[in-house]
Amino acid sequence: MKNTTVTPNREFSPTDKPSPLMCLYDSHKKKYYEPQQAKYDIKTKTFTLNYSNGSVAKVVLSPKAKYLKLTLQSLTKREGIDDIQWGSYHTNITNLFGEMIGVARDTTKVVNYAIGAMALNDQTTGGISGTVGDAAPFQYMIHSPDPKRFPLPSDLHEGQIFSIGGEGRIDVYFYSHPEEYYRILYGNSALIDEKGRVYITYHSLDRTKRREILFSLIPMKEANIPNHIDVPAIPKVDYIGSSIALWGSPDNIALMDVLQNIVLSEKLPYPTVNGKWIKDPSRYIPDVTTSGNLFDSIPSYTKQLGFKAIHANDLPNYRPNRGVKGYIDGKAFEEKPFKFTSGNKSHKEFSELCIPLGITFGRHTVCTALSQGSKDASPIPSDSLCYQQRRLLAKNLNATDTIIQVNDPKHLEEIGSWEGHSKSLNMIKIGKELIHYLGVTSTYPYTLKNVKRGYWGTTAANHKANDTIYKMQVTINWGYDGLVPNIDLQDKIAEDYADVAKINGMYFMDLDGQEFLFNTGQGYYGVKRFFRKMFDRAASYKIPDLRITGATLSEGSWHYQSVWNVGGGTNMYDVEKRVWGSSTSEGKDLRDVAFANFFPATFGGNFSINKNSKVEDYEHVQAISVGVGATYMLGLDQNSVESSPQKYQIFKAIRTWEDARAANAFPDDLKRKLADPKRSWTLEKGKGNSTWILYEKINGTKTNPITLTRAEGY
């Protein structure tokens, strides 16, 4: 692997780490088979790979202008082979690794090169074949991106794994290491070896076979110990046809020149805002988040700021409920949750104020958690709910019995979910009845303990011996309480979100609880499938691209998600101290993940305008935002904003920066300077709408003016 744009060509493939084109994996034996022989037919552009187990694979190589496309065409002797793995492709790059999208990056001026891979269809997902539940563990890995600046202590070594912080429930405490060599992980499409060298891996699973997994996204925490999950088969979702793009490029043009080309050429998801790809740094636009429960001036504020979306955080969490068929305020829009002094408004009426201003709005949602009282949960639970285990009723049961005997107690002692293990959500389903229980006897007759019939408002009923018992897959407490849909019902929930968007004009979704998409056991494939169903339905309505943020980011959501505005306050960025996360390391950790994966970093919900707000603080925020490539949700409470003497100056300052950002007026070398929190800047509008004057402020004095101009095509 060489950078042919420079001379001499550096070899990026390490001699001690061979990179197999494609491996086979037997999950029962936990054994990988590497190719033993390869032949290439130049006419058909096909590799024939032979393996020690007798399998023969045919892989088509399609050279493209900016990448190589690899597609598995066929595989013989498939017995025991339930997963194929692209790579791992080893490099000697030791700078940055993008663990979600699979990229090794050397961002130094001397090298300036990146090597990566990208899945070209939903059945191909990031990471190694042995990834349990197809979603990599959430944990810290030791890696110094620059050993001279950030040398490792003697008691740490590259690739060492540590748990996240806290006790595993409250996410703000997950982020517990401000040291630059503690790197939080949000995937395993790229990882580092014992020498800090980056390697890249994708894989594809045969999902047509039922399987059982022992899964937790945070397996090192007692509050999130793994649960056994019986994962049903999905017809026609196989590894034949799995495909990736393999690419190499100068790092500074990789995103917009190569990755954008792959996405467009392969017709991958390509959401846009103002005509540009959401991954384009010129479209790293902040949003507004509201408080104070008064919306009179919020659309006007948002327009003046140059922002495009309002997060209506005053309203309670939106919970999906197919029972209302998308009419969240009633069929006549009779409910009016948006408070206005002139008369309250429905979601639809609020959207009719925003859309003419080029603004959309959204809600804080609970993703796929089906709460008590919703159509698919209770009082008549759906037969398409996700379950962890399936057993049989050992003897007849009448509507008042609390002695429930099962044919097999295996794994029924586990508290539901893999996250939080909330005892109040530990339940089974028989027919159309939900039943709460805690524990099961270990000796015959196997009997459930602490039984409560007719749980969650369902109707206790008679059941017969050999009726199926489903141990439900559930979410967590703390306002997220819910049942999890199976993959087919998840499709319907995704489409319901698009219906809600169409009917109510709500095109912005904050998917809190996005990790619930992993609960089906289908990992990143399940995430891709959810978003594809949502976006395809929205496209059929010809509504604008949905703007998505959420609790997490993964290889599954990377294409669809616009921003990652989570957390807030001094956990994310402390303006007074000018540091990324002074309360916890969340800001630093998410910044490093996002930057390495060509995704906007975030300050979270932050920087609320109030009577003490100063223009220079917002100039600083905008400078860092542009320099690093970060978004945020600006806190706006109408009464607090009106108390600010510098309200209009703040609006104008932010808008000036946003106009220049949208014009792609900041060159890369300047961005590196803007990203330095020790420096201060002010930006002024130049002549016309295509120039700006940037000054560095030293001891409060404007110095060193730099003229910025609108980039071609912007």
Side-chain angles (χ1 to χ4, degrees):
M1 295 185 280
K2 295 181 179 181
N3 176 6
T4 58
T5 67
V6 297
T7 304
N9 304 142
R10 171 177 167 177
E11 175 58 70
F12 288 101
S13 180
T15 56
D16 62 328
K17 292 276 188 177
S19 298
L21 183 69
M22 191 188 79
C23 295
L24 310 180
Y25 184 66
D26 183 327
S27 65
H28 298 284
K29 296 179 181 178
K30 291 183 169 49
K31 183 175 182 178
Y32 288 91
Y33 297 94
E34 295 188 356
Q36 304 298 300
Q37 185 183 50
K39 293 181 180 178
Y40 183 65
D41 186 328
I42 196 168
K43 292 182 180 179
T44 62
K45 297 178 180 176
T46 302
F47 283 105
T48 300
L49 305 176
N50 295 82
Y51 297 84
S52 62
N53 68 333
S55 294
V56 178
K58 289 192 179 294
V59 175
V60 178
L61 170 68
S62 304
K64 304 294 182 178
K66 296 180 184 294
Y67 60 99
L68 300 174
K69 181 177 181 178
L70 297 164
T71 305
L72 175 59
Q73 185 181 76
S74 64
L75 180 68
T76 65
K77 199 178 179 187
R78 293 179 44 154
E79 297 81 9
I81 303 303
D82 44 22
D83 202 297
I84 63 98
Q85 177 174 292
W86 298 101
S88 299
Y89 304 130
H90 292 270
T91 77
N92 53 29
I93 292 173
T94 60
N95 182 202
L96 303 181
F97 65 97
E99 77 275 27
M100 279 182 275
I101 64 167
V103 59
R105 300 179 60 187
D106 192 318
T107 60
T108 64
K109 285 189 176 181
V110 174
V111 179
N112 184 32
Y113 206 71
I115 295 170
M118 177 168 279
L120 300 184
N121 49 39
D122 290 355
Q123 72 212 65
T124 308
T125 56
I128 61 175
S129 289
T131 305
V132 178
D134 203 16
F138 181 35
Q139 54 199 6
Y140 276 110
M141 176 176 275
I142 298 299
H143 174 62
S144 175
D146 186 339
K148 290 183 178 179
R149 292 177 61 204
F150 312 115
L152 296 186
S154 59
D155 59 336
L156 297 177
H157 61 80
E158 290 281 346
Q160 197 170 352
I161 295 294
F162 287 92
S163 169
I164 58 171
E167 45 73 62
R169 288 188 175 91
I170 302 174
D171 55 3
V172 73
Y173 299 119
F174 292 168
Y175 308 96
S176 52
H177 284 285
E179 303 92 341
E180 292 291 341
Y181 44 77
Y182 274 87
R183 174 64 153 76
I184 206 123
L185 297 179
Y186 273 83
N188 59 350
S189 302
L191 292 173
I192 52 104
D193 67 13
E194 69 284 353
K195 295 181 180 179
R197 300 175 298 186
V198 184
Y199 62 93
I200 300 152
T201 321
Y202 274 81
H203 76 108
S204 185
L205 175 66
D206 180 0
R207 299 179 194 273
T208 65
K209 300 174 183 175
R210 176 177 164 268
R211 56 201 165 91
E212 184 173 87
I213 60 174
L214 181 59
F215 175 76
S216 170
L217 191 66
I218 315 175
M220 299 174 74
K221 288 292 182 184
E222 186 176 350
N224 300 281
I225 58 175
N227 277 43
H228 290 85
I229 303 172
D230 184 5
V231 183
I234 303 179
K236 300 180 182 180
V237 183
D238 190 14
Y239 47 61
I240 302 301
S242 173
S243 187
I244 64 166
L246 187 62
W247 60 274
S249 162
D251 183 78
N252 65 321
I253 63 170
L255 174 64
M256 296 304 295
D257 186 57
V258 178
L259 291 179
Q260 183 170 223
N261 177 267
I262 293 171
V263 169
L264 288 171
S265 299
E266 299 295 332
K267 295 180 170 57
L268 296 175
Y270 189 76
T272 63
V273 60
N274 283 14
K276 299 293 183 183
W277 190 31
I278 56 171
K279 299 297 183 294
D280 185 333
S282 74
R283 295 303 182 263
Y284 288 3
I285 306 171
D287 302 314
V288 160
T289 184
T290 63
S291 60
N293 206 27
L294 187 60
F295 287 86
D296 293 344
S297 299
I298 298 298
S300 172
Y301 294 160
T302 306
K303 178 71 173 178
Q304 291 176 68
L305 288 160
F307 296 175
K308 303 299 180 184
I310 297 167
H311 181 273
N313 206 34
D314 309 76
L315 277 61
N317 289 352
Y318 169 76
R319 296 174 167 278
N321 180 8
R322 295 194 306 135
V324 301
K325 298 182 179 180
Y327 289 88
I328 54 181
D329 291 327
K331 275 293 183 73
F333 306 100
E334 61 269 22
E335 296 180 25
K336 312 286 185 181
F338 288 85
K339 306 298 182 185
F340 283 76
T341 54
S342 60
N344 299 340
K345 299 186 184 299
S346 66
H347 287 75
K348 182 175 176 58
E349 290 168 327
F350 186 63
S351 76
E352 290 167 350
L353 282 178
C354 294
I355 289 172
L357 301 176
I359 296 166
T360 186
F361 80 96
R363 292 275 301 277
H364 193 131
T365 80
V366 195
C367 201
T368 54
L370 303 176
S371 58
Q372 183 177 352
S374 63
K375 172 181 170 59
D376 296 300
S378 69
I380 304 175
S382 170
D383 291 331
S384 297
L385 293 168
C386 186
Y387 60 86
Q388 289 192 335
Q389 297 294 322
R390 186 172 53 181
R391 300 288 182 264
L392 297 177
L393 190 61
K395 60 181 293 187
N396 290 347
L397 194 66
N398 67 39
T400 60
D401 284 337
T402 56
I403 306 300
I404 301 178
Q405 294 179 12
V406 300
N407 68 321
D408 182 357
K410 189 176 182 182
H411 308 320
L412 296 185
E413 77 285 354
E414 296 176 354
I415 302 296
S417 187
W418 52 263
E419 183 180 10
H421 303 292
S422 305
K423 291 182 179 180
S424 65
L425 294 177
N426 198 61
M427 61 183 99
I428 59 170
K429 175 179 169 289
I430 310 176
K432 294 296 185 180
E433 180 185 359
L434 296 175
I435 301 170
H436 183 266
Y437 82 101
L438 289 173
V440 61
T441 60
S442 58
T443 56
Y444 184 85
Y446 308 115
T447 307
L448 300 183
K449 300 177 181 178
N450 305 298
V451 168
K452 296 177 184 177
R453 300 292 302 275
Y455 200 57
W456 264 28
T458 60
T459 301
N462 298 333
H463 305 288
K464 294 181 179 179
N466 294 318
D467 280 358
T468 303
I469 298 171
Y470 296 96
K471 176 177 174 59
M472 304 314 296
Q473 176 65 295
V474 297
T475 60
I476 53 175
N477 288 152
W478 308 292
Y480 299 88
D481 310 54
L483 298 171
V484 173
N486 70 12
I487 199 74
D488 295 315
L489 182 54
Q490 180 180 293
D491 291 348
K492 301 298 183 184
I493 302 300
E495 291 172 347
D496 184 67
Y497 270 107
D499 293 347
V500 167
K502 175 182 183 290
I503 291 168
N504 303 280
M506 188 172 83
Y507 305 148
F508 180 23
M509 308 288 181
D510 179 359
L511 295 171
D512 201 353
Q514 197 178 137
E515 71 274 13
F516 301 151
L517 296 173
F518 301 142
N519 286 43
T520 61
Q522 301 293 354
Y524 304 143
Y525 167 79
V527 177
K528 291 179 181 180
R529 179 165 166 157
F530 174 79
F531 281 112
R532 184 175 293 279
K533 291 288 183 181
M534 184 194 298
F535 273 65
D536 284 354
R537 179 85 151 208
S540 75
Y541 295 140
K542 295 181 170 55
I543 64 176
D545 286 323
L546 299 175
R547 185 169 179 82
I548 303 293
T549 185
T552 191
L553 182 69
S554 68
E555 190 266 333
S557 64
W558 186 89
H559 287 285
Y560 298 94
Q561 198 162 322
S562 300
V563 290
W564 193 12
N565 289 329
V566 295
T570 57
N571 292 302
M572 298 301 297
Y573 191 83
D574 188 325
V575 174
E576 185 176 337
K577 295 181 179 178
R578 295 196 171 193
V579 296
W580 285 85
S582 60
S583 305
T584 71
S585 65
E586 186 173 12
K588 180 272 293 185
D589 285 333
L590 297 189
R591 176 200 66 194
D592 292 350
V593 170
F595 183 82
N597 285 281
F598 295 112
F599 197 86
T602 183
F603 301 134
N606 227 330
F607 320 127
S608 296
I609 297 177
N610 56 52
K611 63 182 181 181
N612 299 315
S613 295
K614 298 176 290 187
V615 172
E616 52 264 35
D617 286 340
Y618 292 92
E619 294 243 44
H620 172 70
V621 166
Q622 288 295 129
I624 299 293
S625 175
V626 170
V628 173
T631 60
Y632 60 96
M633 291 193 292
L634 178 67
L636 294 184
D637 174 321
Q638 183 167 315
N639 289 326
S640 292
V641 172
E642 292 305 317
S643 73
S644 171
Q646 298 189 31
K647 174 185 68 173
Y648 289 115
Q649 295 96 312
I650 292 169
F651 288 171
K652 181 181 178 182
I654 293 175
R655 178 62 181 264
T656 302
W657 282 90
E658 287 305 309
D659 286 347
R661 189 203 312 247
N664 198 24
F666 298 95
D668 289 344
D669 285 347
L670 180 57
K671 286 181 180 180
R672 293 187 183 94
K673 296 177 182 177
L674 294 173
D676 183 354
K678 295 183 179 64
R679 302 175 103 158
S680 297
W681 309 85
T682 188
L683 183 68
E684 297 178 358
K685 191 175 183 298
K687 294 181 179 179
N689 294 318
S690 295
T691 62
W692 296 265
I693 311 299
L694 179 69
Y695 298 91
E696 183 168 10
K697 293 183 76 174
I698 299 176
N699 297 323
T701 301
K702 296 191 300 185
T703 63
N704 307 322
I706 302 169
T707 300
L708 307 177
T709 58
R710 183 180 300 275
E712 185 177 352
Y714 289 84

